[in-house]
Amino acid sequence: MATSGTDPAAIQGPARVPLSRRHMLRMGAAAAGGAVLVGSSEAASAQAAPVGAKRVLRAPALAPGDRVRVVSPGSTPDPTNMARGIEILRSWGLEVELGKHVFTKYGYLAGTDAQRLADLNAALTDPGIRAVFAARGGYGTQRIVDQIDVSVLRRDPRVVVGFSDITSIHGKLWRETGLVTFYGPMVNWSDARTGPESAEALRRAVMTTAPVTISRDPAETAASVVVPGRASGPLLGGCLTLISTSLGAEDSPKFDGAILFFEDVDEAPYSIDSMLTELRRVGVLRRVAGVVIGQITNSVGEPGEWDAAAVLKDRLYDLGVPVLGGLRLGHGDGQLTIPLGSRATIDATAGTLTVEPGVRPR
């Protein structure tokens, strides 16, 4: 195992911190019922085994005039931010509709479970809707994900976009139908966080059939986390917290032979350690072909303890597969968009992730 530059024996136990979204997800589930590792390229590439055949569904690329529906499967969005996101979608020629309960408030949720589920299922089954955009994440999708109606998607696939809490929906749709979905900005848009480059990346991902290539950004928290090598497989994953809290449930995809992608926000280094340790213990990390790390945003530890990059190196460097950190995917500034479920190639030595198109020609 590669060293992180800090003696584990010298690390104190984690301090108590305010409740994170991970803690909320755990509580909600209960209520509902360093240096670059060198010399490993050959071993990593050798373990990038072909993935078993799974039918992959791709929706037609969006085009001007298409009807798209915005829904709130989790928390309630901000009306001002929503207006900006709708403006961007309409600037691409899309006809934007809103789900009935997009702005409803029910505690910390955008309506009751029944209301949010009804909006989501209506968008996934309406034959005139060509794309479903999540308004925002927050919390709530795991409360309704098991009741999602996927029957129409098998014969009439459509674009689905969202990130963060929407990870559960991505996993459910992939597992049940093989639908390629999109991990990218939501309609609750912030120009300060997601500027013109983010908007163009989203547009290209859902409105063109060009492959997506994303390069390592040296400014990102996990940019130093690299295990050289190449591997290919379906790109699966999302927010690490949601991956962790979905294990064993119906929205947890099989990661065998996949390129595992994860990112997260507001999780202390020890919490990231805990989630990755869980993935190790249940065997997920033994079966992946490679690992891609997006934006690890606002991960703050105690003085003298490991930082997020050190934890990632400690938990990932002995897997024997390529690892590439530092991609602008997730909760941080300049967020880009990737198709989940499409075949991807990680070239950790070159610092690139290339993903096949997530949509098909019309």
Side-chain angles (χ1 to χ4, degrees):
M1 181 178 296
T3 60
S4 62
T6 303
D7 180 7
I11 297 177
Q12 303 275 329
R16 295 187 180 272
V17 295
L19 285 180
S20 68
R21 182 182 43 182
R22 174 174 172 80
H23 291 93
M24 175 175 277
L25 283 163
R26 291 295 193 194
M27 293 165 63
V36 174
L37 181 67
V38 295
S40 60
S41 178
E42 292 182 4
S45 297
Q47 293 198 22
V51 180
K54 178 182 180 70
R55 186 185 177 198
V56 177
L57 293 179
R58 287 181 171 82
L62 295 180
D66 281 346
R67 290 171 56 206
V68 302
R69 185 80 54 82
V70 181
V71 297
S72 297
S75 299
T76 310
D78 175 79
T80 301
N81 290 348
M82 279 284 289
R84 175 56 177 148
I86 292 169
E87 178 184 30
I88 290 172
L89 295 180
R90 287 177 173 162
S91 75
W92 302 340
L94 301 175
E95 299 293 330
V96 182
E97 304 174 3
L98 298 184
K100 183 178 179 180
H101 301 97
V102 164
F103 293 110
T104 300
K105 287 190 70 67
Y106 179 73
Y108 38 73
L109 303 167
T112 65
D113 289 355
Q115 289 171 333
R116 300 191 328 281
L117 179 64
D119 280 3
L120 178 58
N121 280 340
L124 292 173
T125 57
D126 186 327
I129 295 299
R130 302 321 314 151
V132 182
F133 288 85
R136 65 159 293 185
Y139 170 74
T141 62
Q142 287 185 331
R143 292 172 56 128
I144 64 173
V145 69
D146 296 333
Q147 286 76 50
I148 290 178
D149 184 352
V150 301
S151 59
V152 172
L153 293 178
R154 295 189 178 98
R155 64 178 183 274
D156 184 20
R158 61 206 63 194
V159 167
V160 176
V161 181
F163 79 107
S164 191
D165 197 56
I166 309 304
T167 297
S168 287
I169 296 176
H170 292 307
K172 171 73 171 184
L173 298 185
W174 169 258
R175 177 166 166 167
E176 296 294 325
T177 72
L179 180 68
V180 174
T181 55
F182 295 86
Y183 201 83
M186 291 179 276
V187 185
N188 194 60
W189 198 273
S190 167
D191 284 317
R193 192 184 76 83
T194 43
E197 185 181 3
S198 297
E200 176 58 15
L202 176 58
R203 187 199 68 80
R204 281 177 53 84
V206 301
M207 299 188 77
T208 80
T209 56
V212 176
T213 298
I214 299 178
S215 299
R216 169 184 167 275
D217 184 341
E220 288 294 335
T221 299
S224 67
V225 184
V226 178
V227 176
R230 286 175 58 93
S232 296
L235 183 67
L236 300 174
C239 180
L240 182 59
T241 295
L242 273 295
I243 296 170
S244 171
T245 54
S246 290
L247 289 174
E250 295 180 9
D251 55 316
S252 182
K254 293 183 179 179
F255 292 99
D256 300 43
I259 303 297
L260 170 64
F261 155 67
F262 67 84
E263 58 86 23
D264 218 321
V265 62
D266 294 334
E267 294 295 339
Y270 81 87
S271 181
I272 295 172
D273 184 325
S274 174
M275 290 184 278
L276 291 177
T277 298
E278 181 178 29
L279 295 184
R280 291 174 68 102
R281 296 182 67 202
V282 300
V284 168
L285 293 182
R286 289 199 305 269
R287 299 191 293 268
V288 299
V291 179
V292 170
I293 308 164
Q295 294 169 311
I296 303 299
T297 307
N298 193 31
S299 179
V300 180
E302 294 297 314
E305 294 184 344
W306 284 344
D307 61 12
V311 167
L312 293 168
K313 294 170 184 178
D314 181 80
R315 295 284 75 192
L316 300 175
Y317 270 21
D318 65 342
L319 299 180
V321 300
V323 177
L324 175 62
L327 303 190
R328 278 192 286 131
L329 302 166
H331 289 76
D333 293 343
Q335 178 189 11
L336 302 176
T337 299
I338 48 169
L340 293 178
S342 278
R343 189 167 180 83
T345 297
I346 175 178
D347 187 336
T349 305
T352 59
L353 172 72
T354 302
V355 192
E356 292 181 357
V359 290
R360 56 179 170 82
R362 295 175 70 88

